[in-house]
Amino acid sequence: MRGLARWTVLAAAAIAAVAVAAAAMADDMTVSSGASDPGMTQERQIREIRQELKLLEQRVDQLENENDRLRKANAELQKNTQKLQTSTTEQISALQSKVAESPSPEDFLSAMDRFLGRYRVTLVGGAAGSFIYDRNSNINTFAFDMEPIILWQLSDKLLFEGTIEANLPAGGSADYQLPVADFQYFLNDYVELVMGIFDQPFGDWYEDQSPFWVNRFVTAPLPYNVNPLIPPTEIGVQLRGGFQWGQMGQVADYTVWSGNGPGYSNSSCTNNTPPSPLPTCTSTAFVGDTLVGVNNIKLNTHTPSFGGRFRIYPLPADSDWGRLELGVSTYDGKWANGLWMTSWGVDFNYFRDNLQTRGEWIESYRQMPAGLGADNRQGWYVQAGYFLTGLTLPFVPSAANEYIDKLEPLIRYSGINQRAAVLANIITTPEIGFTGSPALYAPHAREVALGLDYWLAPSIVWQNEFDLELPEAGGFYSDTGQPVGAYPNDRAFVSQFAVGF
Amino acid sequence: MKRKLISGFAGAAVALALAACAGGVAHAANDATPAQQKRQMFLRGAELWPIYCNTCHNARPGGEFSPTEWNMILMHMRTQANLPPQDAKAILEYLKASR
């Protein structure tokens, strides 16, 4: 029985399988029977697939192109970044090295120049304080004087120079003067125009030797002291210049000028305290009148005066002969209507190593109103100084030698000859550079000055001077008619500290 | 007398101006480079400084003033001493460089 059952189950299973397969086949036949022709359908499908493939291919192409572009752009970007990096590094390192290195003096100077602008002003000049003792007038005093100079450079060719003199004379209140105020303009390399109030370009004194720290002595030599032969300043114009005529150092220079001319103190004026303040009343001239110290426009309106100075330096710089200067000067001007004052002078200056010498000779002629006779004068000085630099004395300690090294002993002889003096013109108030000794006004004044300078720096000096006044007999006071007497025991001592800055 | 003196001075001035120009021509030629010229000027200045600048007062050394101040002071001294142009320039170069 069990066999039969088995067969029955198998048969049932087979029938079921056939039925299922038939059903499945019937399903399939229903789908494909949608088209009319099965071959056509396949072909269409293939076309469609091909089209799709083409589209895909195009898309791939596009993407590839895009990719290419992006790759290129990226490469470019990288290159630029690289460049930027390099140049930044270079710039930074340049900046770093610039910061690290200090500016060169030229760079600094030009930067400073830009900062300061075109116009420049410098303050120079000098100051001095003195102790003055004069035995004859029994003077014992201190004096102080300051002479600042303002230099104002207006262009490469134009300079303004102004000097103000401020002093405290013994017993008086402060006194101010304007001895120099002028424009200096270089017309070309060899001609310069100077206009204004200037130091008298006569000889070497007023222009070149008078400042405190420049003058080796404290006082001026007699022809340039309280009774000068030539007016100290002038208002007017100058032409000047210098040139080389031979080897290096062999030069010559000239100065020609025209100005207001001389003026004399006037003893007949009651309110006149010569030589500095101007006469305020009608003048009566005397032989021996003192020249007015500082020029003024009010002083002389008679006619322009004129003069010139010519100097030559014959020794070449390469030679071992030192430096020699030889000069001639003239001064001509009317001091009153129709009355001339004419002068000329010769001067020399020689230095070599530690030795320096200089000297001058001056002659002056002053025409006088009828009946008064001539007012002729002569003046001169010679001086020598010797620096003890390099001198080592074997018998003194080296510390002392250090001091000796800075010393300059000096000697000067100066004098004036004139026919008469004017008693009313004599003032004995000392001031810087003047001891107050009346002997300096004597018609035949003579002075021996001994000096000892101690140089702390090229323009800082402690000066000591001992003066022996030795006027010679002769002459008279032209305002009183009395003969000029002797000045017994006239000795003076001056000690001065002078600074040039 | 006045006219005579004036004409005398005028004549002297003209003669001087001519002499000056002649002097200028003689020293103009120089075809060195700027650096060489500077060096030549420095050397010339170094030689002339102790001579020219000691004539009236003790020579003042370069360190005392700034280059800008030296410009002005040398203008002042050039007037004061009537220095020939090339010498004044050389001394200025020396003073500015020897600070």
Side-chain angles (χ1 to χ4, degrees):
Chain A
M1 203 13 242
R2 266 183 47 203
L4 183 84
R6 189 184 282 164
W7 282 108
T8 313
V9 169
L10 278 173
I15 293 165
V18 168
V20 169
M25 261 183 55
D27 252 7
D28 249 17
M29 281 195 328
T30 335
V31 172
S32 45
S33 71
S36 51
D37 181 1
M40 288 267 288
T41 313
Q42 261 186 350
E43 227 170 81
R44 206 175 57 224
Q45 277 180 339
I46 286 167
R47 251 202 327 268
E48 278 173 7
I49 285 168
R50 275 204 186 124
Q51 228 166 6
E52 223 151 278
L53 267 175
K54 217 184 223 159
L55 279 175
L56 278 174
E57 256 173 27
Q58 275 175 358
R59 183 93 188 105
V60 166
D61 275 355
Q62 257 178 10
L63 282 175
E64 267 181 357
N65 278 350
E66 191 92 342
N67 194 24
D68 253 7
R69 262 216 319 276
L70 281 175
R71 205 181 292 140
K72 269 191 198 144
N74 192 24
E76 195 78 8
L77 207 66
Q78 266 184 345
K79 230 163 50 191
N80 281 350
T81 314
Q82 186 79 30
K83 247 195 220 158
L84 199 70
Q85 255 180 352
T86 337
S87 78
T88 313
T89 321
E90 270 168 14
Q91 273 175 0
I92 288 174
S93 71
L95 273 177
Q96 275 173 340
S97 59
K98 228 183 203 160
V99 168
E101 86 186 11
S102 58
S104 73
E106 279 86 11
D107 289 350
F108 182 75
L109 195 66
S110 67
M112 203 61 186
D113 266 5
R114 283 197 298 277
F115 175 74
L116 289 170
R118 259 179 71 210
Y119 301 134
R120 310 289 152 69
V121 177
T122 302
L123 192 71
V124 285
S130 286
F131 168 74
I132 303 166
Y133 167 73
D134 185 68
R135 188 164 170 191
N136 182 265
S137 345
N138 201 13
I139 284 164
N140 207 318
T141 190
F142 287 97
F144 188 81
D145 206 340
M146 183 169 155
E147 276 193 27
I149 300 176
I150 296 160
L151 297 179
W152 184 18
Q153 187 180 7
L154 292 147
S155 80
D156 283 351
K157 294 187 168 171
L158 183 62
L159 185 79
F160 172 80
E161 178 186 355
T163 308
I164 299 157
E165 187 186 343
N167 57 33
L168 290 172
S173 56
D175 181 15
Y176 304 95
Q177 289 174 342
L178 186 68
V180 171
D182 57 47
F183 286 97
Q184 305 167 5
Y185 184 71
F186 288 90
L187 295 171
N188 63 42
D189 270 355
Y190 300 98
V191 187
E192 188 192 351
L193 176 72
V194 177
M195 274 185 303
I197 310 173
F198 45 81
D199 281 332
Q200 194 68 254
F202 185 101
D204 265 349
W205 184 260
Y206 294 126
E207 235 187 45
D208 301 340
Q209 287 299 302
S210 58
F212 317 118
W213 62 275
V214 177
N215 181 11
R216 300 296 161 110
F217 287 85
V218 180
T219 65
L222 291 181
Y224 292 110
N225 209 305
V226 281
N227 184 23
L229 264 71
I230 303 293
T233 63
E234 197 70 43
I235 305 180
V237 290
Q238 294 179 7
L239 287 178
R240 56 193 298 159
F243 54 91
Q244 180 177 335
W245 52 267
Q247 295 173 40
M248 185 169 74
Q250 285 184 313
V251 296
D253 76 65
Y254 69 93
T255 307
V256 288
W257 59 269
S258 179
N260 271 357
Y264 288 89
S265 286
N266 221 290
S267 51
S268 68
C269 296
T270 48
N271 56 351
N272 178 26
T273 45
S276 165
L278 302 167
T280 50
C281 47
T282 30
S283 53
T284 310
F286 287 103
V287 170
D289 281 332
T290 45
L291 270 167
V292 175
V294 176
N295 214 329
N296 188 292
I297 186 87
K298 278 191 242 160
L299 197 69
N300 196 334
T301 48
H302 305 293
T303 191
S305 57
F306 50 88
R309 180 185 57 195
F310 187 79
R311 293 185 292 208
I312 189 158
Y313 303 80
L315 304 180
D318 291 328
S319 77
D320 203 23
W321 304 329
R323 183 102 179 129
L324 175 67
E325 170 205 306
L326 299 169
V328 288
S329 315
T330 66
Y331 183 106
D332 297 275
K334 279 186 197 165
W335 66 272
N337 212 5
L339 299 174
W340 283 85
M341 193 281 239
T342 60
S343 355
W344 58 265
V346 288
D347 64 87
F348 85 94
N349 169 20
Y350 175 75
F351 75 91
R352 188 186 172 189
D353 304 330
N354 291 3
L355 174 77
Q356 168 129 15
T357 63
R358 53 172 73 243
E360 270 183 66
W361 176 272
I362 305 155
E363 292 266 359
S364 92
Y365 309 92
R366 176 188 178 209
Q367 284 182 329
M368 295 296 282
L372 280 176
D375 188 356
N376 297 347
R377 304 178 190 188
Q378 292 156 356
W380 67 88
Y381 73 90
V382 280
Q383 74 178 50
Y386 191 86
F387 276 102
L388 300 188
T389 316
L391 183 84
T392 331
L393 299 176
F395 46 87
V396 292
S398 67
N401 267 323
E402 249 175 62
Y403 291 107
I404 291 171
D405 220 42
K406 297 185 173 119
L407 287 174
E408 184 189 20
L410 296 140
I411 183 161
R412 180 183 73 201
Y413 180 62
S414 61
I416 289 177
N417 283 330
Q418 60 190 48
R419 282 178 53 225
V422 177
L423 188 60
N425 280 354
I426 296 175
I427 37 168
T428 52
T429 314
E431 54 181 36
I432 289 269
F434 173 51
T435 55
S437 163
L440 272 57
Y441 293 91
H444 300 283
R446 301 283 185 276
E447 181 187 84
V448 174
L450 302 170
L452 188 63
D453 288 359
Y454 182 75
W455 290 96
L456 291 144
S459 63
I460 304 176
V461 62
W462 175 35
Q463 303 173 302
N464 296 286
E465 180 183 326
F466 178 64
D467 294 340
L468 289 145
E469 310 301 345
L470 312 161
E472 289 195 347
F476 61 100
Y477 289 122
S478 54
D479 51 343
T480 64
Q482 300 162 320
V484 175
Y487 296 90
N489 271 335
D490 202 352
R491 310 268 181 274
F493 172 74
V494 207
S495 187
Q496 171 169 290
F497 190 74
V499 178
F501 44 81
Chain B
M1 148 165 155
K2 187 175 146 198
R3 190 161 297 156
K4 227 166 57 192
L5 275 167
I6 290 179
S7 57
F9 274 119
V14 170
L16 284 169
L18 286 176
C21 294
V25 173
H27 304 285
N30 192 347
D31 43 31
T33 66
Q36 283 171 328
Q37 274 177 9
K38 239 179 147 171
R39 197 174 148 66
Q40 280 171 4
M41 292 245 281
F42 175 88
L43 292 175
R44 188 183 178 102
E47 189 171 353
L48 291 176
W49 173 72
I51 299 170
Y52 282 15
C53 305
N54 256 321
T55 307
C56 300
H57 50 70
N58 296 324
R60 311 271 299 254
E64 284 193 359
F65 297 94
S66 74
T68 314
E69 285 171 323
W70 274 125
N71 284 343
M72 277 178 269
I73 291 170
L74 243 284
M75 243 173 131
H76 185 205
M77 285 306 115
R78 192 173 154 191
T79 307
Q80 191 90 36
N82 287 342
L83 298 175
Q86 70 275 22
D87 294 348
K89 281 170 203 158
I91 291 171
L92 180 61
E93 179 66 39
Y94 165 72
L95 285 168
K96 282 174 158 181
S98 67
R99 303 181 66 246

